Each structure stands twice: as C-alpha cells, then as structure tokens.
Amino acid sequence: LKKTHETFAMNAGESAGKETDKSGKYMFANQRSLWWWRFREALDPNSGFKIALPPIRKLRQDLRAPRFKRQGGKIIVESKETIKERTGRSTDYADPVIQAWYGTSTASDFAGGIA
C-alpha cells in the first residue's frame, strides 16, 4: 500500500491577510509572525489543543527565543537573524515543528479565537 502526502508551499514573508490573534485586536505583519503566534496561543493549556513536544532541549530553547512586538496594530516576530545575533543560534529546531503543526491545522481551528 503506497502512502501519499499532500504538500503545499509556505511563504514566511507573505501577507497574513486579515488573520488576527485570539483577542481579535491585532493582525500579523506576515505569515511567519502568524505561525509563531498561533503556536504560542496553542501551547496555552486552556487552548484546547493537545500538543506533546519531544523532550529536546534545543527545541525548548528555540520556542522561548523569539521576541514579539506590536507595530502599526500588527504583531511582528523578531527575525531569525536578530534571534541568532542575540542568542548565538538560529531557531532551526522550532521552525519545522511550528510549520508542520500550522500546516496540519485549519482556519476553523482558530475561528473566533482558539477555544
């Protein structure tokens, strides 16, 4: 039996459209900011998502590394380059975890905020 996998392109710099955080107050500067923020929201124990992460120290460090700011009503995650300058390493462990998780989620998971 041959398994098939659906794939699709993910462009981190692409617009996040009209997506907002769970409060509905803030939009996102780009897709990368959206992915990181959504994963951050999903890790909240009250989110309803049941995320089990492997016990990999570098993954935990990566997930804690980015800083966020609001600019012009939009949430922006700090660039990989800035993270690397500040911490001495890139977020190479967290990026594929976040992308895989976001890629398997659907927009309906976030409708009206994460519940």
Side-chain angles (χ1 to χ4, degrees):
L1 188 61
K2 187 174 183 179
K3 289 186 178 185
T4 60
H5 300 278
E6 185 177 344
T7 61
F8 55 92
M10 294 179 78
N11 182 344
E14 189 175 274
S15 167
K18 296 184 181 202
E19 294 281 340
T20 63
D21 69 328
K22 69 180 181 179
S23 76
K25 293 180 183 178
Y26 301 103
M27 295 172 65
F28 299 93
N30 54 35
Q31 286 289 318
R32 183 171 173 272
S33 297
L34 171 66
W35 303 335
W36 273 88
W37 193 265
R38 287 280 193 250
F39 197 70
R40 180 180 180 273
E41 289 177 331
L43 288 174
D44 178 341
N46 296 318
S47 73
F49 287 98
K50 294 179 175 139
I51 298 175
L53 297 171
I56 299 171
R57 184 172 179 247
K58 288 183 179 181
L59 174 59
R60 288 192 315 268
Q61 290 172 335
D62 283 5
L63 291 171
R64 290 191 303 256
R67 294 180 179 166
F68 297 87
K69 65 180 178 180
R70 288 183 307 223
Q71 186 174 350
K74 293 186 177 184
I75 296 170
I76 302 171
V77 65
E78 117 185 274
S79 73
K80 284 185 69 127
E81 294 78 19
T82 304
I83 293 169
K84 190 172 183 176
E85 287 173 14
R86 187 171 46 79
T87 65
R89 51 187 301 274
S90 187
T91 54
D92 293 338
Y93 281 79
D95 290 332
V97 170
I98 289 170
Q99 290 169 5
W101 175 82
Y102 189 81
T104 59
S105 299
T106 64
S108 64
D109 292 335
F110 303 104
I114 296 173

